[in-house]
């Protein structure tokens, strides 16, 4: 069984991520979307909220699971018996960072390979950071995230305004 891991911060999940999940789910027998419990990075959403939002977005996929992980990605991948890490590439500007991560992961664990999927052109400009910026100014994020995520963003930022 080909188990693939799609790791990320997903703070929050966007249509760009969902597009990668959709295509990766057709390559993998089982796809695990793995949310990093990033202690050093200031996330808008807690790791549990991020996992919940992804679960709400992927209900139609029978072979996709969502989990959170701590520590090194390669250790987590090994614990799941996964040999393939999936990452999305939006533009050439993503490449340097992705190359560094993929090569580091391969030095750490030679058995684990990274497979890059090109993000759909219509989402190539999209990032969680941009979505948060638009939402923080009460802008319309309906083209970028699911209605459930848009709702949670609204609640999160409204809380900061009161
Ligand atoms: O969505 P992001 O923030 O670009 O995802 C980055 C992620 C989670 C894939 C990366 O930071 C990661 O794998 N972190 C776990 C720690 C680790 O394994 N580091 C060594 C490889 S860079």
């Amino acid at each position: 069984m080909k188990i693939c891991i799609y790791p990320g911060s997903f703070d929050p999940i966007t249509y760009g991520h969902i597009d990668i999940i959709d295509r990766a789910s057709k390559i993998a027998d089982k796809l695990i979307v793995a949310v990093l419990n990033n202690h050093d990075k200031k996330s808008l959403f807690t790791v549990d909220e991020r996992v919940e939002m992804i679960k709400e977005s992927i209900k139609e996929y029978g072979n996709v699971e969502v989990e959170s992980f701590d520590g090194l990605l390669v250790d987590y991948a090994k614990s799941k018996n996964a040999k393939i890490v999936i990452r999305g590439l939006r533009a050439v500007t993503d490449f340097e960072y992705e190359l560094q991560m993929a090569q580091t992961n391969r030095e750490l664990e030679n058995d684990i390979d990274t497979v890059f999927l090109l993000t759909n052109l219509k989402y190539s400009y999209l990032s969680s950071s941009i979505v948060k910026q638009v939402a923080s100014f009460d802008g319309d994020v309906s083209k970028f995230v699911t209605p459930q995520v848009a709702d949670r963003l609204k609640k999160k930022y409204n809380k900061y305004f009161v």
Side-chain angles (χ1 to χ4, degrees):
M1 173 139 100
K2 205 188 301 151
I3 303 170
C4 299
I5 294 201
Y6 177 33
S9 302
F10 304 104
D11 186 39
I13 185 166
T14 68
Y15 281 135
H17 296 128
I18 293 172
D19 171 60
I20 296 292
I21 292 171
D22 180 61
R23 279 176 303 120
S25 73
K26 291 169 187 146
I27 297 169
D29 294 316
K30 181 163 109 178
L31 177 69
I32 304 172
V33 182
V35 182
L36 178 68
N37 194 0
N38 26 0
H39 304 287
D40 59 336
K41 207 168 154 183
K42 263 201 100 41
S43 305
L44 177 65
F45 292 98
T46 66
V47 70
D48 290 340
E49 287 173 322
R50 286 178 277 146
V51 166
E52 274 171 34
M53 284 185 281
I54 301 171
K55 282 188 175 161
E56 285 165 1
S57 312
I58 53 120
K59 282 189 186 128
E60 67 197 85
Y61 299 96
N63 65 336
V64 182
E65 292 174 9
V66 188
E67 286 188 359
S68 61
F69 77 102
D70 272 302
L72 284 179
L73 176 63
V74 290
D75 290 338
Y76 173 72
K78 266 200 295 185
S79 77
K80 294 284 152 188
N81 215 10
K83 300 260 189 282
I84 297 170
V85 171
I86 303 277
R87 291 287 287 174
L89 278 181
R90 289 168 300 188
V92 76
T93 42
D94 281 341
F95 186 72
E96 211 161 316
Y97 170 60
E98 293 298 333
L99 180 73
Q100 194 179 21
M101 279 204 297
Q103 296 288 38
T104 306
N105 285 336
R106 208 144 69 125
E107 280 302 310
L108 292 171
E109 193 55 57
N110 192 43
D111 268 3
I112 296 176
D113 267 306
T114 303
V115 170
F116 296 106
L117 296 181
L118 296 185
T119 303
N120 190 313
L121 205 51
K122 71 178 179 197
Y123 301 126
S124 60
Y125 61 93
L126 195 53
S127 71
S128 299
S129 310
I130 287 288
V131 170
K132 284 183 279 192
Q133 195 181 110
V134 173
S136 73
F137 294 112
D138 208 20
D140 178 8
V141 291
S142 60
K143 286 192 184 138
F144 313 141
V145 295
T146 62
Q148 291 91 333
V149 174
D151 202 45
R152 284 184 187 244
L153 279 163
K154 214 174 182 59
K155 287 191 183 121
K156 202 56 106 172
Y157 284 113
N158 277 349
K159 196 176 76 189
Y160 294 139
F161 289 136
V162 286

